[in-house]
Amino acid sequence: MPELRLGPLLRYTDGSCATVWVETSEPCTAEVRCSDGASGTAPTFQVAGHHYALVTVTGLRPGTSPSYEVFLDAAPVWPLPDCCFPPSVIRTPGAGDAVRVTFGSCRWAAPPADGKDPVGPDALDTLAIRLATDPGAERPDVLLLLGDQVYADETSEDTRRWLAARRDLDRPPGGQVADYEEYCHLYYESWLDPEVRWLLSTVPSFMIFDDHDIVDDWNTSASWLADMRTTDWWQERLLSGLMSYWVHQHLGNLSPAELADDPTWAAVRAAPDGTKALRALAEQADADSASVRFSYRRDFGRVRVVMVDSRAARVLEEGRRSMLDAGEAAWLREQVLPGGGTDEGAYDHLLIGTSLPWLLPHLVHDTESWDAALCAGERGDRWARFGEWLRRGADLEHWAAFPRSFADLAGLIADVAAAPGAPASVCVLSGDVHHGYIAEATWRAGDLGLPVVQLTCSPVHNSVPAAMRIGFRVGWSAPARALGRLLARHGRCARLPVRWRKRGGPWFGNQLMTLTLRGRRAHLRLEATDKESRLRTLHEASLTD
């Protein structure tokens, strides 16, 4: 009899359909049956000896929350027999409902040793417990996971023991993951956590990768990538990381209509084993980032979410460096300016998801843009070599390290504000930096007439060294800004089109942010875990007053 190995994960949802992802122990037919009669079935597909299904559930009605069960070859497998959580539901939005978007990033999923968690309670665990134990608790309509869903380069002791049983850890990449099977183990470690498993079965989730999904500082620079390609383990690591991301994360980001038009999805399902077709996609992405798109757009009523790939879509050659290749940048423009700038497809709020913050503490931003100028040769070869050394050593590879892309995003947001039917707010949602803060941007050319804020929320479950905490606090200060201006002057950096100020933070610890969007109003709440494994509110603010 087939068994449920992983999942179910509730992924895409709208008013009439949803997708549910599962991994099974053998080939079978997966079925989802809802309490109101909605249902769906799908045969499994195979990748590298693993069996998966993405079930499209149809017949749902707007504004309802039916519970559901999962069957494999007609045998019930979910809920689990000993499950202590409420039934999983598929909640569909109703007309005029508020949209609650909960987001965060950086979840290191290592199990606590002897019941003691070295990085504190997991924010997703605590959210799950609150929803499971309090039927009246405010429930997210969608969970956005903004990167580092798994840590391929920072594995737990349990995982390293498992790795040592299958290969010699004295050979590179040592205790890091090396292939598809080892990536699958990371997803088991992360998503079989009982609280997280239930949470992902009942709250729709959308995801994008960041560096640790592949390796720390992935695609920092052209010379970094050239050095990685000289190793005998990098190619398999990258391809396996992209393949496992496509299976576990990317598929669920797509709507049924998008899946129907996806040639790789068709090829993987048509083959007895889709490994070859999926590996070809990963090889294509490695050879030409512009040929594969991992970015996507989702609309929740009149809330538009555009998730941007700010890792694999980079152009790394000095002189051409860009966070997004030309095709990706054009695609982003199309998504945020629908109808060529007319009011066709207008929305009330624009959320731009990018794993890396656009607006950083001022000293950090100026250091990164100065370093980018040095690496580009603005101060000669010796400074360029120093700049590359510093870029790698200090992780200087956010939007500020791609100055033209930083300015282009500022220009695009200004165009959104000037377009007919402009939204009430623009929020850039990010993680990566292991703390949270709010920054508000203003344009030198004049008031845009709407709030533009950087909302950074990280980590969900990780930590940051004390020295970096001090640096992130000091980076906003007046002396730090003065030092940053000196660095920018030395690097002959271009004048920035925007200014920004900190409106909240920095906040440290495991945390989640929630945006509640109702009509033209936007409300933000930041919650962090406490010692009793509860989420407590650290900050609340209206963004549209």
Side-chain angles (χ1 to χ4, degrees):
M1 293 289 293
E3 297 176 353
L4 186 65
R5 280 193 172 174
L6 197 57
L9 274 71
L10 177 61
R11 299 303 309 274
Y12 175 89
T13 57
D14 60 26
S16 61
C17 70
T19 60
V20 176
W21 181 99
V22 296
E23 181 184 350
T24 67
S25 60
E26 60 186 72
C28 62
T29 297
E31 181 181 5
V32 175
R33 300 178 192 171
C34 296
S35 57
D36 65 352
S39 64
T41 62
T44 56
F45 61 93
Q46 180 172 308
V47 174
H50 291 257
H51 307 280
Y52 309 95
L54 187 65
V55 180
T56 298
V57 180
T58 58
L60 296 167
R61 298 190 301 274
T64 61
S65 300
S67 61
Y68 73 89
E69 299 174 280
V70 177
F71 296 79
L72 301 180
D73 284 348
V77 295
W78 185 267
L80 300 175
D82 57 350
C83 180
C84 60
F85 293 96
S88 301
V89 302
I90 301 177
R91 182 177 177 181
T92 55
D97 287 352
V99 178
R100 295 184 179 89
V101 180
T102 295
F103 62 95
S105 81
C106 306
R107 180 171 179 265
W108 189 59
D114 301 324
K116 297 180 180 180
D117 195 327
V119 298
D122 188 320
L124 289 188
D125 281 349
T126 55
L127 175 62
I129 292 169
R130 182 169 70 188
L131 296 180
T133 56
D134 182 2
E138 188 176 89
R139 183 188 185 93
D141 294 296
V142 61
L143 181 63
L144 302 183
L145 301 176
L146 296 168
D148 295 345
Q149 275 66 260
V150 293
Y151 278 71
D153 54 348
E154 296 179 15
T155 55
S156 67
E157 290 184 14
D158 285 352
T159 292
R160 288 193 292 274
R161 283 193 292 267
W162 181 83
L163 293 173
R166 69 189 309 261
R167 60 178 170 85
D168 182 3
L169 298 193
D170 290 332
R171 299 182 60 186
Q176 303 181 23
V177 301
D179 58 25
Y180 187 89
E181 186 65 31
E182 294 177 6
Y183 264 103
C184 290
H185 182 84
L186 291 185
Y187 283 102
Y188 294 152
E189 182 176 58
S190 180
W191 290 354
L192 288 178
D193 173 316
E195 288 81 10
V196 168
R197 189 177 194 181
W198 176 78
L199 180 69
L200 294 179
S201 77
T202 198
V203 176
S205 59
F206 293 89
M207 310 177 190
I208 195 71
F209 46 47
D210 198 27
D211 55 344
H212 290 285
D213 290 86
I214 303 294
V215 71
D216 189 24
D217 304 333
W218 175 29
N219 280 346
T220 292
S221 66
S223 65
W224 177 94
L225 183 57
D227 287 348
M228 296 300 287
R229 284 176 170 165
T230 64
T231 69
D232 60 4
W233 57 270
W234 168 249
Q235 185 73 1
E236 186 60 34
R237 165 76 152 277
L238 175 65
L239 299 183
S240 296
L242 292 175
M243 291 168 65
S244 64
Y245 172 80
W246 188 91
V247 170
H248 293 82
Q249 299 189 51
H250 183 66
L251 278 181
N253 295 331
L254 304 180
S255 69
E258 289 167 328
L259 288 166
D261 292 336
D262 190 306
T264 301
W265 175 231
V268 167
R269 288 186 302 156
D273 186 314
T275 307
K276 183 177 179 180
L278 187 52
R279 191 175 182 88
L281 176 78
E283 290 173 341
Q284 186 179 0
D286 180 36
D288 179 11
S289 65
S291 65
V292 177
R293 177 162 297 125
F294 293 110
S295 301
Y296 57 94
R297 188 191 100 194
R298 294 273 71 84
D299 288 341
F300 304 93
R302 291 180 61 82
V303 177
R304 175 155 299 177
V305 177
V306 183
M307 292 285 269
V308 179
D309 165 16
S310 49
R311 281 291 175 185
R314 295 179 176 187
V315 177
L316 299 178
E317 291 80 7
E318 296 297 341
R320 298 180 54 238
R321 272 176 65 87
S322 177
M323 186 66 85
L324 309 176
D325 62 58
E328 194 83 7
W331 175 89
L332 175 59
R333 188 172 189 85
E334 288 177 6
Q335 306 315 305
V336 302
L337 289 173
T342 72
D343 61 358
E344 178 185 350
Y347 46 83
D348 287 328
H349 302 278
L350 173 62
L351 312 183
I352 300 175
T354 167
S355 62
L356 300 159
W358 175 53
L359 303 178
L360 289 161
H362 297 100
L363 179 57
V364 179
H365 176 99
D366 290 334
T367 300
E368 295 203 10
S369 58
W370 166 69
D371 181 80
L374 298 184
C375 292
E378 187 65 37
R379 286 290 183 177
D381 290 344
R382 186 173 64 177
W383 277 104
R385 290 192 295 272
F386 169 76
E388 179 62 27
W389 171 83
L390 181 62
R391 177 159 60 189
R392 296 196 200 185
D395 298 352
L396 307 182
E397 36 89 34
H398 299 83
W399 284 83
F402 297 80
R404 281 180 292 186
S405 297
F406 178 92
D408 287 347
L409 184 54
L412 179 56
I413 293 173
D415 290 345
V416 168
S425 70
V426 176
C427 300
V428 181
L429 314 182
S430 306
D432 179 70
V433 291
H434 290 203
H435 71 288
Y437 62 89
I438 305 167
E440 183 174 17
T442 56
W443 268 248
R444 295 184 185 275
D447 182 18
L448 296 190
L450 56 84
V452 178
V453 291
Q454 169 73 63
L455 303 177
T456 302
C457 183
S458 168
V460 169
H461 185 235
N462 214 312
S463 62
V464 61
M468 292 183 66
R469 291 191 181 204
I470 295 171
F472 286 133
R473 291 185 187 278
V474 171
W476 295 101
S477 67
R481 296 184 70 170
L483 175 57
R485 287 192 290 270
L486 291 175
L487 293 175
R489 191 175 301 124
H490 178 262
R492 303 180 180 130
C493 300
R495 190 167 185 251
L496 297 175
V498 294
R499 301 184 181 95
W500 62 96
R501 63 185 179 92
K502 178 170 65 69
R503 283 189 53 182
W507 298 288
F508 298 95
N510 298 325
Q511 57 191 255
L512 291 167
M513 282 185 179
T514 297
L515 276 170
T516 300
L517 306 160
R518 187 187 302 272
R520 305 281 289 180
R521 292 177 293 168
H523 182 270
L524 175 71
R525 183 176 70 250
L526 168 72
E527 297 177 289
T529 61
D530 62 19
K531 294 180 180 179
E532 286 72 40
S533 298
R534 296 175 302 186
L535 283 170
R536 59 185 179 91
T537 300
L538 294 185
H539 183 81
E540 286 194 84
S542 173
L543 301 181
T544 50
D545 285 345

